[in-house]
Amino acid sequence: MVGSIRGAVVLVLSAFVAAACNGEPTTGIATTVAPTTTDSPPVRVDDEVLRIGLVVPAEPATIGASIEASAEEAVEQINDVGGVLGTDVELFVVVDGDTLTSAAAAVEVLAADDIDVDAMVGPVSSLTATAALDVAVDAQIVSCSATASAIDLTDFPDDGLFFRTVPSDALQAEAIADRVERTGAADALIVHVDDPFGRSFAAAAEDSLRERSIGVASTVGVPPAVVDAPDALVDALDLGADVVIVLASAADTLSVLSILDDASVDARRIVVNDAVRNSESAPALAELSDEFRSRVVGIAPAVVIRDDEGAITTGPFEVQVEDCINLIALAALQGGSDAPALIASQMPSVSTGGSPCSTFEQCAQRIDQGLQINYNGRSGTAELTRTGETSRAEFETFVVGDDGTPEFDTTFPVSV
């Protein structure tokens, strides 16, 4: 069931965000949100009701709608076969507001005594995930991200409470190196935005390339909103690497691509990460020269399921959200408790090493029979490591059409 106070939760959070953005006092809702820190972590006990919070973005609306619909359907399917521990699972939805402050506030709402969730799914953005995780760990809530892929989250001090069903950018780095290797390239130049995201992504890509005996001609950081090629990039381009890899946000990737095109870079491939795979990037991509644009290939996590003809059959991140919900519920069922610490201890266990099953109902039946399970979900890749990361995933390559539209090319698996 979806929490009956969902509307009130969203209204309270919206008021908090509006006040915070306008610089107005927020004391009017102080009694509604839980404090972010305590002298010692709260002890969350088993009350035999599994409560899951869902943090969704206001924008983009399509992703928020897909995530919410997927979570509601997953909970409905669980409850249709008896729920967890003999009780319906309860789902509470809040909007994160897309800022660090509002993301933390969203989790405070979910952690408050009148809701008191055991686990949560979200938030969407890697940037807001750190603020949300701070609050969630303080409140000792299990967190499962279906969307936040930043490498830095791997080492976040999460007390073993953080998991994700979306592949981290470290796994995307493996996917990029795999595609570079298939070009037969002897070496590659890595160009990244010079911020924490870009630096960690570039380091992972460099490691993955070297593991495949592919040389790294140079690794160059460029400032955000770069317009002209820095001297370090000019010097690196003179090295003539077989492949150029660009790791940055959509805006910064588009800027770097324009610089590379103007410099008549003749690398056999220009490989980009998933950031520019959106319709908003099409006009800038269309302005690239035809010959240069034909050499651009992108790598992205497969966040939708496609049929045999390549047509999309699910909403964005729908399957990853479904996997988070089912893994949380199955962990509680296998452990016989909705206490977050126990759920966290069972999350990797229900995802690997046992009898394969793809739905909550199938897996629950096997648990009732005393069997160890291996939940795969519809993606077939919902396998968690002991550190909470997904160990394998499907990735997609995309190319750029004449009108600048990123177009699906092929799908391939990557594992660690």
Side-chain angles (χ1 to χ4, degrees), residues 101-236:
T101 300
S102 59
V107 184
E108 288 176 337
V109 170
L110 294 173
D113 290 342
D114 55 348
I115 303 179
D116 196 25
V117 298
D118 305 296
M120 73 173 193
V121 178
V124 169
S125 167
S126 292
L127 294 176
T128 58
T130 53
L133 277 176
D134 269 332
V135 180
V137 172
D138 281 343
Q140 293 294 283
I141 294 170
V142 174
S143 302
C144 183
S145 177
T147 53
S149 61
I151 293 174
D152 291 349
L153 292 174
T154 300
D155 297 323
F156 189 89
D158 58 22
D159 289 355
L161 294 169
F162 175 62
F163 304 86
R164 51 182 164 185
T165 54
V166 67
S168 78
D169 289 335
L171 202 55
Q172 187 173 173
E174 288 284 338
I176 289 171
D178 177 273
R179 295 298 100 173
V180 171
E181 183 178 36
R182 289 171 182 268
T183 69
D187 61 356
L189 164 64
I190 301 174
V191 184
H192 65 89
V193 64
D194 195 11
D195 63 11
F197 160 80
R199 289 191 291 270
S200 59
F201 205 162
E206 185 170 343
D207 289 344
S208 296
L209 290 168
R210 294 191 188 282
E211 287 172 358
R212 290 170 168 77
S213 298
I214 299 171
V216 178
S218 184
T219 300
V220 180
V222 297
V226 63
V227 176
D228 298 314
D231 290 343
L233 179 56
V234 173
D235 292 342

Side-chain angles (χ1 to χ4, degrees), residues 160-390:
L161 294 169
F162 175 62
F163 304 86
R164 51 182 164 185
T165 54
V166 67
S168 78
D169 289 335
L171 202 55
Q172 187 173 173
E174 288 284 338
I176 289 171
D178 177 273
R179 295 298 100 173
V180 171
E181 183 178 36
R182 289 171 182 268
T183 69
D187 61 356
L189 164 64
I190 301 174
V191 184
H192 65 89
V193 64
D194 195 11
D195 63 11
F197 160 80
R199 289 191 291 270
S200 59
F201 205 162
E206 185 170 343
D207 289 344
S208 296
L209 290 168
R210 294 191 188 282
E211 287 172 358
R212 290 170 168 77
S213 298
I214 299 171
V216 178
S218 184
T219 300
V220 180
V222 297
V226 63
V227 176
D228 298 314
D231 290 343
L233 179 56
V234 173
D235 292 342
L237 294 177
D238 287 341
L239 298 175
D242 291 336
V243 171
V244 178
I245 300 169
V246 182
L247 306 174
S249 66
D252 291 325
T253 297
L254 293 172
S255 295
V256 172
L257 289 178
S258 179
I259 290 171
L260 298 178
D261 191 14
D262 290 344
S264 301
V265 171
D266 61 357
R268 66 181 70 171
R269 284 286 184 273
I270 314 296
V271 180
V272 300
N273 62 297
D274 58 320
V276 296
R277 194 182 188 183
N278 56 69
S279 57
E280 290 80 7
S281 298
L285 291 171
E287 291 179 2
L288 299 172
S289 66
D290 292 345
E291 195 279 331
F292 180 85
R293 189 172 56 244
S294 70
R295 289 184 277 129
V296 174
V297 61
I299 309 296
V303 297
V304 297
I305 292 180
R306 298 176 182 272
D307 62 21
D308 292 340
E309 284 72 44
I312 296 173
T313 61
T314 63
F317 300 104
E318 177 182 320
V319 174
Q320 287 77 15
V321 170
E322 178 183 294
D323 287 344
C324 274
I325 296 286
N326 284 338
L327 286 167
I328 290 167
L330 290 168
L333 186 63
Q334 179 167 282
S337 170
D338 65 278
L342 193 143
I343 292 173
S345 72
Q346 299 296 313
M347 288 277 283
S349 174
V350 298
S351 72
T352 184
S355 176
C357 48
S358 58
T359 67
F360 175 84
E361 183 177 14
Q362 290 174 351
C363 294
Q365 290 173 349
R366 286 166 171 74
I367 290 174
D368 288 343
Q369 295 166 3
L371 299 175
Q372 174 68 36
I373 64 166
N374 178 4
Y375 170 78
N376 290 318
R378 285 187 289 167
S379 68
T381 59
E383 187 170 301
L384 301 177
T385 66
R386 288 295 170 185
T387 59
E389 303 284 345
T390 183

